[in-house]
Amino acid sequence: VFYSPETKDVSVRMVVYSGITCVDEKTISLTLKAVPEVAFNAVAPICNNIASFQVTQGSEIHGLLTGIGTYSGEGVNQQGVFSTSANDSGTHSLTYTFLADNGCSDSKTQTLTVYPSPTVKGASVELLQGGEIQLPVMITGSDLTYKWTPAVSLDHDDISNPIASPGADIIYTVLATSSQGCSASGNVIVKVFQNPKIPNAFSPNKDGINDVWSIQNLNTYPNATVSIFNRY
């Protein structure tokens, strides 16, 4: 095995004996080709919700031979682009092969571990001012930790479904992280309706005092219906 020069010429002699004194021989020439040598370094574990990425750990060590390097295995194309799916987890066997222009090749195989990621499904909820509600986010996964932001008006910011009691409209974001470091996030939109304040009288005499019957905070109820009727 050699890597340089590109070829070496050698002579091989074969000698055949019959008894002790009868002998014949023949010499032939052989041309040996240099071979590539491949290195394929370890690929760090990944989460299954990351974007496709380029595998670059495979290479030909010496760089003395021209040729083409390709990847093969589950989840990777020949150019080394690895793609995952939402239900992908476990180990993948990846192989890097370098084929020199002289027809000689070398290959190495590595194992890539794919960790499952949590999933987070957000929601929108409505709340009357002064009330409270358990945030109805749906999270799947095992051995997870949680972080809610902002933490304002939450009873806890490190559990899956905290109790919220905000005084105004707010968007909460939760980040769920697995023990392998895989994470996902989602939002819960909380619409807070202000308590309406309804005056029981008004004096439309154009004196500038209580001329208009105005329900305070009615603008926070976009689909409200106002009904006016007399005592009968």
Side-chain angles (χ1 to χ4, degrees):
V1 175
F2 62 92
Y3 311 105
S4 179
E6 290 189 10
T7 60
K8 289 182 180 181
D9 294 325
V10 297
S11 295
V12 179
R13 185 180 65 165
M14 182 176 185
V15 181
V16 180
Y17 295 92
S18 176
I20 299 176
T21 59
C22 299
V23 61
D24 191 18
E25 68 177 66
K26 186 175 183 179
T27 300
I28 63 173
S29 296
L30 295 177
T31 298
L32 304 180
K33 298 177 182 180
V35 295
E37 185 178 9
V38 161
F40 193 4
N41 298 325
V43 184
I46 63 169
C47 302
N48 67 355
N49 62 352
I50 69 168
S52 300
F53 69 98
Q54 178 69 49
V55 179
T56 60
Q57 285 82 352
S59 64
E60 200 284 321
I61 296 175
H62 304 286
L64 302 174
L65 297 175
T66 58
I68 298 176
T70 57
Y71 291 88
S72 59
E74 183 184 358
V76 69
N77 64 16
Q78 287 190 340
Q79 292 72 38
V81 178
F82 189 87
S83 303
T84 63
S85 61
N87 58 357
D88 187 7
S89 63
T91 58
H92 293 250
S93 182
L94 307 182
T95 299
Y96 178 77
T97 301
F98 186 86
L99 176 62
D101 291 340
N102 65 5
C104 299
S105 65
D106 189 29
S107 63
K108 290 287 190 304
T109 299
Q110 272 289 355
T111 298
L112 170 61
T113 300
V114 179
Y115 293 135
S117 299
T119 62
V120 180
K121 184 178 181 180
S124 297
V125 294
E126 297 176 349
L127 179 67
L128 187 63
Q129 186 184 36
E132 62 181 29
I133 191 170
Q134 187 174 38
L135 299 182
V137 65
M138 295 180 60
I139 303 175
T140 62
S142 58
D143 197 14
L144 302 179
T145 59
Y146 309 95
K147 182 62 178 177
W148 287 87
T149 54
V152 60
S153 300
L154 295 179
D155 63 339
H156 296 88
D157 66 353
D158 57 356
I159 62 176
S160 59
N161 300 96
I163 302 296
S165 54
D169 295 352
I170 192 170
I171 298 177
Y172 290 108
T173 300
V174 61
L175 178 68
T177 305
S178 70
S179 57
Q180 291 90 13
C182 299
S183 62
S185 64
N187 296 328
V188 175
I189 302 172
V190 181
K191 173 67 176 178
V192 179
F193 293 104
Q194 307 296 316
N195 284 310
K197 297 180 181 179
I198 306 175
N200 61 7
F202 75 117
S203 56
N205 57 3
K206 298 183 180 181
D207 64 354
I209 302 175
N210 296 324
D211 283 337
V212 178
W213 186 66
S214 177
I215 302 176
Q216 188 176 345
N217 300 325
L218 187 64
N219 61 313
T220 66
Y221 296 81
N223 296 316
T225 298
V226 177
S227 299
I228 303 175
F229 50 91
N230 65 19
R231 75 179 82 179
Y232 304 108

